[in-house]
Amino acid sequence: MQNLYPDRYFDKKEDIPFKTYYQKGYQGVIFDIDNTLVPHDAPADEKTIRFISNLKAIGYRICLLSNNDKDRVASFNECLQVEYIYKANKPFRRGYEKAMEVLHTDPNNTLFVGDQIFTDVWGAKRAGIFSLLLDPIDSKEEIQIVFKRIPERFIKWSYRRKRGYKKGQYDTTA
């Protein structure tokens, strides 16, 4: 089950110490979109645009990696202007590897941020990328995702227990 544990687990994207990770040598960030950056099927809002802009100002190269179709990902990216890959077939490694190719990074200097264990985290781990798990932004999700959330609860509980955290505690450091 440890293959499904994220490297770090944060409540929300704003809690991630991106400056610290950049100082440690990370240069690229691969993001899932839905329920990681915005609620499911929502467009990029002003908060997300500022968030991505701040990461660019730090020096990060950014790629969106989504299992969604081109229309969804391209329209979401219009105001962000970052690299993107659609129909990524997460958790298979190829999408993650392609994202690193377009970012000119490798597993040693790339972060992955997502909200799902069985697609996002597992795929990042398979590709050797440092994985950051977030709680989903919104509970309104497609039914196939809702069913995956049930075993995810156990994995999150087990992760917290292994790290000595109580319920509701998250990572606070890089």
Side-chain angles (χ1 to χ4, degrees):
M1 184 165 57
Q2 291 191 9
N3 288 339
L4 298 174
Y5 286 168
D7 292 297
R8 296 289 182 278
Y9 176 23
F10 296 94
D11 180 25
K12 56 191 180 301
K13 64 186 177 293
E14 293 82 7
D15 294 339
I16 300 171
F18 281 106
K19 285 183 183 176
T20 303
Y21 282 119
Y22 192 78
Q23 292 166 350
K24 288 183 173 190
Y26 289 95
Q27 300 171 7
V29 184
I30 303 170
F31 281 101
D32 173 55
I33 297 173
D34 290 324
N35 257 344
T36 298
L37 291 173
V38 296
H40 189 75
D41 279 335
D45 56 15
E46 284 302 317
K47 183 178 173 184
T48 303
I49 294 166
R50 273 192 314 276
F51 176 78
I52 295 296
S53 180
N54 289 338
L55 292 182
K56 289 178 181 180
I58 291 171
Y60 280 110
R61 294 185 295 272
I62 299 166
C63 183
L64 306 173
L65 185 69
S66 177
N67 285 346
N68 278 302
D69 62 27
K70 184 177 183 178
D71 289 343
R72 163 69 176 139
V73 181
S75 66
F76 181 83
N77 187 46
E78 281 178 7
C79 45
L80 299 178
Q81 295 300 300
V82 296
E83 301 290 339
Y84 67 88
I85 296 167
Y86 60 93
K87 290 190 179 180
N89 293 316
K90 295 182 289 181
F92 294 107
R93 286 191 337 231
R94 182 66 191 126
Y96 296 85
E97 291 167 347
K98 190 173 177 185
M100 287 186 288
E101 285 173 25
V102 300
L103 293 176
H104 305 289
T105 61
D106 61 52
N108 297 313
N109 62 7
T110 306
L111 300 170
F112 180 85
V113 182
D115 69 295
Q116 291 187 54
I117 291 173
F118 295 110
T119 52
D120 299 330
V121 170
W122 189 28
K125 298 287 265 186
R126 293 174 77 192
I129 301 171
F130 196 83
S131 63
L132 308 173
L133 177 67
L134 304 178
D135 277 337
I137 293 171
D138 190 7
S139 61
K140 200 187 282 186
E141 298 181 295
E142 296 173 346
I143 192 68
Q144 72 271 15
I145 297 170
V146 171
F147 285 130
K148 287 192 273 185
R149 296 293 186 198
I150 296 166
E152 280 186 359
R153 279 190 221 122
F154 174 74
I155 295 165
K156 289 176 180 180
W157 173 83
S158 177
Y159 173 88
R160 284 188 176 110
R161 185 171 177 223
K162 179 181 178 218
R163 295 182 70 102
Y165 295 163
K166 294 179 181 160
K167 185 176 181 173
Q169 280 187 303
Y170 297 90
D171 288 309
T172 56
T173 60

